[in-house]
Amino acid sequence: MRIEFTLDCAHLDRMTRFWRDAAGFAVVGVIEGRYVSLQGHDVALTLQQVEEPKTVKNRMHLDLLVDDVESEVTRLEALGASRLTPTAHEEFGQTWFVLADPEGNEFCVAADPSATAPPNS
C-alpha cells in the first residue's frame, strides 16, 4: 500500500511552487488546471485545484522535521509562509512553530528527533 496526501488549493501554480520549494519535492505529474503530483522523501502530495477558499482550521496537517527550526522557519517565510505562532512551542522535549502556506493551510516546522537521537548500537 502507498499513501498519498491531497491538499485542496485555489491557486495551483502558486501552491505548486511553494510546496515544491518548501519541502524539496519534485513535480511528477500534472493534469493542467486540476492536479499536480509532488513527490520526495518517500512522500506523495497531490495539490488539487478547488473553487472554494479555505475557511476553517485543517483537520490534518504536514509536519516538516528539520535540523535547524529557526533557519527553516525563516526560509519558509521567504517562500511565502506565515508564522502563526510568534515563538516556538516547547513541550514533550520537542520544539516547533505553526506556520501557514500562502493559502492559509497550517503546517508545523519541528526539530527532527532523529537528528539528535543516539545511534542504535
Side-chain angles (χ1 to χ4, degrees), residues 52-64:
E52 65 278 357
K54 179 185 174 296
T55 57
V56 297
K57 185 180 183 306
N58 298 23
R59 297 288 294 180
M60 182 175 71
H61 67 267
L62 300 177
D63 287 346
L64 304 181

Side-chain angles (χ1 to χ4, degrees), residues 2-107:
R2 206 169 63 84
I3 296 174
E4 179 173 286
F5 297 95
T6 299
L7 182 64
D8 290 349
C9 57
H11 302 284
L12 198 54
D13 292 338
R14 177 176 66 178
M15 296 298 284
T16 297
R17 285 189 304 275
F18 177 80
W19 283 108
R20 180 196 64 207
D21 295 345
F25 287 140
V27 175
V28 297
V30 175
I31 298 175
E32 197 63 40
R34 291 292 314 263
Y35 299 98
V36 173
S37 294
L38 304 168
Q39 287 187 350
H41 318 287
D42 292 326
V43 173
L45 175 65
T46 296
L47 303 175
Q48 172 179 268
Q49 187 161 339
V50 298
E51 292 182 21
E52 65 278 357
K54 179 185 174 296
T55 57
V56 297
K57 185 180 183 306
N58 298 23
R59 297 288 294 180
M60 182 175 71
H61 67 267
L62 300 177
D63 287 346
L64 304 181
L65 305 179
V66 301
D67 293 335
D68 184 341
V69 174
E70 292 286 343
S71 67
E72 189 63 17
V73 167
T74 300
R75 184 184 79 83
L76 293 165
E77 287 176 316
L79 292 174
S82 302
R83 193 182 301 217
L84 298 182
T85 53
T87 59
H89 290 287
E90 294 189 31
E91 192 174 21
F92 310 115
Q94 180 60 284
T95 301
W96 75 95
F97 283 91
V98 179
L99 282 79
D101 71 15
E103 291 193 2
N105 298 299
E106 297 92 358
F107 66 98

